[in-house]
């Protein structure tokens, strides 16, 4: 089951300010010392021969293996996945540090092409696994407990059985994967290369998005209009990327006889479509009493007759505009993590001390934030675009939650460490909640407490309401693309149809806001990922309620859940 780890890309990361102290950068040497490192060359050579040997030993023979033989086969595949994942993690992380560097782009592309070529002979593996009868597998599980441990992963593989194609066609599609990935890189490089002029200053997209949280309303408006101007100038590129990606998905889904554009994501998430739709329907039904009600309150707090889109993330009038330097951000999050359990602090500490975080905003760096799990024999890396806003502290808490989760689950191995997306945001949102609660406990006044509570409400609206609106936009986009090519105006109209519904009647929408779909990476990198955030927020609220009601022994149960990974 060859898989190449991809960044867990998080929406709504914000950026902001000077005098932040020393911002850490990645030390990728735990993966490889450099792109010409002897160990990297050695691993590429090993991977090529290991894949050929695996195919020679097992192709056409999987149904003849006994339980011990199938277990050995899986263990060998995990080793191949580990080395392939290590190489691609190194190439990807270097690329995300500077997506506009042609040398890094070439290195990533060359690694991807080599690994795709080397692993093409392994396509047979999952196809033949799916041809083994369920009765035979059940008997093998009963015979061999070590093999039975892999049942959850085997079940997820076998869920694709009705949708797999001929062996020859699957190999062709595997080879063609690098072509589709080129559209993702075009998106990344275009976004990272954009520049914005606000008040005479040239900014990256992160610096410009950060201005949407400034106290000065004119600054927020100027930044929003500049975002719209630059997105508009590049909208044909973004439209081409989205049209091509959606069409490619439609072709794949049609060949695989998928019942909907979302079905493949639901299968990989091990969740029924009915569950996702129930979540979506519940959130949409709650728009009036959640986001609509909150933004109407915020409109009154801001003293406005009408809210504009640049007011959505505005600070409250009584909120002091403060910059949180890096050391303070680290101390806030680490205090919250240690207060929950010192073991959580121990798991988080190396991210700060060993070069596992890349925090600064730099030209050409990928926007947003993510935690990349790399492989189970190394450790995760966290990327931020830290600019000193309080929301950046919450983003740090969020990504460290992913990192803690990934470290705890690593002992499960390559097949079982990753969770379905329905659980992938649990530890990250829980980390945010711990940090928020610690900050709330330390609030010095009712006014500071109100500011913190309002910020948390907005974060939860962004995590649940906004992400479900994103999901609806994707559903509409993919459905419309199946009827034909979409113009930028067509896509913009779909975007606006969900914005008004989710944000509510307090808002006016300026001309140009219909382009703001263009910069959301999830739509390109991982279609229909976004509902995972709503799952995560709902689960964490439930977990935290249990923790408050009965804290005794909760930490052990929580760590056991994270250690279980995808098992």
């Amino acid at each position: 089951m060859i898989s190449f780890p991809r960044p867990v890309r998080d929406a709504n990361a914000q950026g902001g300010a000077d005098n932040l102290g020393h911002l850490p950068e990645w030390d990728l040497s735990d993966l490889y010392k450099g792109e010409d490192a002897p160990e990297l060359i050695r691993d590429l050579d090993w991977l090529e021969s290991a894949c050929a040997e695996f195919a020679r030993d097992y192709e056409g023979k999987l149904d003849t293996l006994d339980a011990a033989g199938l277990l050995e086969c899986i263990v060998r595949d995990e080793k191949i996945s580990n080395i392939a994942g290590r190489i691609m993690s190194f190439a990807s992380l270097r690329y995300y540090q500077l997506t506009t560097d042609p040398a890094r782009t070439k290195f990533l592309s060359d690694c991807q092409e080599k690994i795709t070529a080397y692993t093409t002979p392994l396509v047979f593996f999952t196809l033949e696994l799916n041809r083994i009868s369920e009765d035979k597998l059940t008997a093998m599980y009963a015979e061999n407990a070590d093999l039975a441990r892999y049942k959850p992963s085997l079940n997820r593989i076998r869920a694709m059985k009705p949708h797999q194609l001929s062996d020859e066609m699957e190999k062709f599609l595997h080879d063609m994967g690098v072509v589709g990935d080129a559209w993702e890189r075009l998106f990344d490089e275009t976004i990272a290369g954009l520049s914005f002029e606000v008040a005479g200053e040239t900014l990256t997209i992160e610096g410009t998005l950060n201005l949407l949280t400034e106290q000065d309303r004119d600054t927020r408006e100027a930044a929003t209009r500049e975002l719209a101007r630059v997105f508009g100038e590049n909208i044909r590129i973004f439209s081409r990327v989205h049209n091509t990606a959606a069409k490619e998905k439609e072709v794949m889904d049609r060949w695989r006889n998928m019942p909907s554009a979302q079905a493949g994501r639901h299968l990989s998430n091990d969740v029924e479509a009915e569950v996702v739709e129930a979540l979506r329907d519940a959130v949409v039904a709650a728009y009036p009493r959640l986001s609509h009600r909150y933004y109407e309150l915020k409109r009154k707090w801001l003293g406005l007759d009408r809210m504009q889109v640049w007011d959505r993330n505005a600070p409250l009038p009584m909120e002091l505009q403060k910059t949180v330097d890096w050391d303070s951000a680290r101390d806030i999050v680490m205090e919250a993590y240690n207060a929950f359990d010192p073991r959580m602090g121990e798991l988080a500490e190396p991210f700060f001390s060993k070069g596992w975080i890349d925090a600064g905003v730099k030209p050409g760096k990928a926007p947003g934030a993510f935690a990349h799990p790399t492989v189970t024999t190394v450790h995760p890396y966290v990327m931020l675009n830290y600019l000193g806003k309080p929301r950046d502290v919450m983003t740090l808490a969020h990504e460290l939650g992913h990192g803690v989760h990934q470290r705890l689950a690593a002992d499960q191995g390559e097949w079982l460490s990753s969770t379905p997306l329905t659980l992938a945001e649990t530890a990250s949102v829980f980390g945010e909640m711990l940090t928020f609660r610690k900050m709330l406990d330390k609030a010095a006044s009712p006014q500071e407490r109100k500011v913190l509570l309002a910020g948390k409400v907005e974060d939860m609206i962004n995590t649940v309401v906004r992400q479900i609106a994103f999901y609806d936009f994707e559903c509409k986009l993919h459905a419309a693309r199946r009827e034909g090519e979409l113009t930028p105006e067509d896509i913009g109209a779909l975007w606006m149809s969900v914005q008004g519904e989710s944000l509510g009647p307090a808002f006016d929408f300026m001309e140009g806001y219909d382009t703001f779909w263009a910069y959301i990476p999830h739509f390109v990198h991982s279609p229909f990922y976004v509902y995972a955030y709503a799952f995560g927020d709902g689960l964490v609220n439930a977990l935290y309620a249990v923790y408050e009601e009965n804290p005794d022994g909760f930490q052990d149960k929580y760590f056991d859940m994270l250690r279980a990974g995808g098992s």
Side-chain angles (χ1 to χ4, degrees), residues 212 224 227-228 231 495 510 512-520:
L212 304 185
T224 305
L227 287 164
F231 293 158
W495 173 256
M510 70 173 205
Y513 189 65
D514 61 342
T515 63
F516 274 55
W517 52 269
Y519 78 98
I520 310 297

Side-chain angles (χ1 to χ4, degrees), residues 154-271:
L154 287 163
N155 286 345
R156 284 191 281 275
I157 292 171
R158 289 168 70 80
M160 283 296 294
K161 181 176 180 178
H163 307 288
Q164 70 185 35
L165 305 174
S166 69
D167 292 15
E168 186 177 29
M169 180 61 77
E170 293 287 358
K171 287 182 179 179
F172 170 76
L173 293 175
H174 180 82
D175 274 351
M176 286 295 291
V178 294
V179 179
D181 289 346
W183 291 98
E184 296 179 15
R185 290 204 300 276
L186 174 62
F187 172 84
D188 291 336
E189 291 159 22
T190 302
I191 282 288
L194 297 179
S195 62
F196 305 82
E197 301 287 335
V198 183
E201 187 176 1
T202 302
L203 301 169
T204 64
I205 189 170
E206 285 293 343
T208 312
L209 289 169
N210 168 71
L211 296 179
L212 304 185
T213 63
E214 286 293 308
Q215 189 70 260
D216 182 70
R217 195 178 190 220
D218 290 341
T219 300
R220 299 198 305 269
E221 178 180 357
T224 305
R225 293 194 183 280
E226 178 65 359
L227 287 164
R229 183 188 69 81
V230 175
F231 293 158
E233 288 180 352
N234 293 273
I235 204 65
R236 292 182 66 187
I237 295 175
F238 293 121
S239 176
R240 173 57 47 223
V241 168
H242 284 69
N243 266 288
T244 304
K247 182 60 180 178
E248 179 186 41
K249 190 174 190 317
E250 184 270 325
V251 171
M252 294 283 283
D253 288 345
R254 177 158 36 88
W255 275 79
R256 294 193 182 283
N257 198 29
M258 290 288 181
S260 69
Q262 307 92 297
R265 175 66 66 194
H266 300 337
L267 282 172
S268 67
N269 284 345
D270 198 15
V271 64

Side-chain angles (χ1 to χ4, degrees), residues 338-370:
N338 278 309
F340 174 70
D341 193 295
R343 290 172 292 179
M344 185 175 275
E346 290 172 9
L347 288 162
E349 193 279 332
F351 285 88
F352 295 99
S353 62
K354 295 187 176 181
W356 299 1
I357 299 176
D358 196 297
V361 175
K362 292 164 277 190
K365 181 179 175 180
F370 62 72

Side-chain angles (χ1 to χ4, degrees), residues 443-481:
S445 67
Q447 181 172 291
E448 184 179 348
R449 185 176 175 87
K450 177 178 178 177
V451 167
L452 286 168
L453 286 167
K456 184 57 177 172
V457 169
E458 291 192 23
D459 287 343
M460 294 171 81
I461 287 174
N462 284 336
T463 303
V464 178
V465 170
R466 187 163 168 78
Q467 301 303 325
I468 289 299
F470 283 177
Y471 175 70
D472 276 357
F473 166 72
E474 287 189 275
C475 292
K476 291 183 176 186
L477 174 72
H478 284 265
R481 183 62 184 90

Side-chain angles (χ1 to χ4, degrees), residues 74-88:
I74 290 173
V75 170
R76 283 178 62 177
D77 180 81
E78 282 197 295
K79 174 67 172 176
I80 289 171
S81 293
N82 181 276
I83 298 300
R86 189 182 193 123
I87 294 166
M88 286 308 303

